[in-house]
Amino acid sequence: MFNTIDLILQQSMRGHLGSEMEITLVMEIMWIQIKMLTLILPIGGPGSGKTTLCQDLKVGSIPSLLEPYVKATDTFTYSCRDELYAEVRQNNGANKTRRILYDKFQEWIRGLQGKDIVAYLDSSNAQLGGRNHIIEQIKPDRVILINFRYPADI
């Protein structure tokens, strides 16, 4: 499965290579050579598995769902805003807490240089506006949304 950039490259190569198999092989080689920043945004309530997913990725344990996109050799980092909020809020008012969290988020983004996989855990991931803000700030090459929420009827 290829992202938008891959599909554009695939279409541009179609005139130069004969078969789908040749195109796929070239895409796999390009995939290995091009470093792309992948942003993972897990969505779900407390206890749904978001933090467990990130801990697994941190030690190189790749869930089958992510195998096409993530390699055990990828460099990985994650941030959990909700945990940080609880820690910072204990000794600060609401406005100061927001400023501190914003500064820490910006510092974390600056530290993403050279990373392959980034996951950001935040209760605002469930809201489209919150996700879009995170994507705009991080500017990843690819975004993977993982929905840990279950339909109401299950």
Side-chain angles (χ1 to χ4, degrees), residues 64-123:
S64 59
L65 153 83
L66 293 175
E67 282 178 356
Y69 312 103
V70 177
K71 299 180 290 300
T73 56
D74 286 338
T75 56
F76 175 76
T77 188
Y78 74 96
S79 178
C80 182
R81 181 190 180 275
D82 295 338
E83 288 177 4
L84 188 57
Y85 175 87
E87 178 185 316
V88 172
R89 182 69 169 112
Q90 288 179 7
N91 301 317
N92 298 290
N95 288 336
K96 186 171 183 183
T97 297
R98 278 195 292 276
R99 282 193 307 271
I100 291 170
L101 291 177
Y102 178 80
D103 291 344
K104 288 192 176 287
F105 180 67
Q106 295 302 316
E107 181 181 325
W108 182 71
I109 289 174
R110 286 190 295 276
L112 297 180
Q113 298 280 336
K115 299 294 183 192
D116 298 311
I117 309 292
V118 172
Y120 186 70
L121 285 73
D122 188 346
S123 55

Side-chain angles (χ1 to χ4, degrees), residues 1-146:
M1 202 170 212
F2 302 115
N3 68 12
T4 308
I5 295 168
D6 295 328
L7 291 175
I8 291 168
L9 290 170
Q10 186 176 359
Q11 288 176 352
S12 69
M13 290 187 301
R14 195 171 299 283
H16 302 287
L17 297 173
S19 70
E20 282 293 317
M21 211 159 125
E22 289 172 332
I23 292 171
T24 302
L25 178 61
V26 169
M27 293 307 302
E28 287 176 5
I29 291 168
M30 290 176 72
W31 181 257
I32 291 168
Q33 293 177 346
I34 298 173
K35 281 193 95 78
M36 298 178 72
L37 178 63
T38 299
L39 171 63
I40 299 174
L41 291 174
I43 302 167
S48 60
K50 301 181 302 291
T51 303
T52 301
L53 168 70
C54 290
Q55 289 169 346
D56 287 348
L57 289 171
K58 192 170 187 171
V59 297
S61 175
I62 312 301
S64 59
L65 153 83
L66 293 175
E67 282 178 356
Y69 312 103
V70 177
K71 299 180 290 300
T73 56
D74 286 338
T75 56
F76 175 76
T77 188
Y78 74 96
S79 178
C80 182
R81 181 190 180 275
D82 295 338
E83 288 177 4
L84 188 57
Y85 175 87
E87 178 185 316
V88 172
R89 182 69 169 112
Q90 288 179 7
N91 301 317
N92 298 290
N95 288 336
K96 186 171 183 183
T97 297
R98 278 195 292 276
R99 282 193 307 271
I100 291 170
L101 291 177
Y102 178 80
D103 291 344
K104 288 192 176 287
F105 180 67
Q106 295 302 316
E107 181 181 325
W108 182 71
I109 289 174
R110 286 190 295 276
L112 297 180
Q113 298 280 336
K115 299 294 183 192
D116 298 311
I117 309 292
V118 172
Y120 186 70
L121 285 73
D122 188 346
S123 55
S124 70
N125 287 356
Q127 300 165 355
L128 181 59
R131 289 193 303 266
N132 286 340
H133 175 73
I134 293 163
I135 292 166
E136 288 169 14
Q137 291 289 309
I138 295 176
K139 297 175 179 48
D141 299 302
R142 175 184 25 221
V143 176
I144 301 174
L145 298 174
I146 302 175

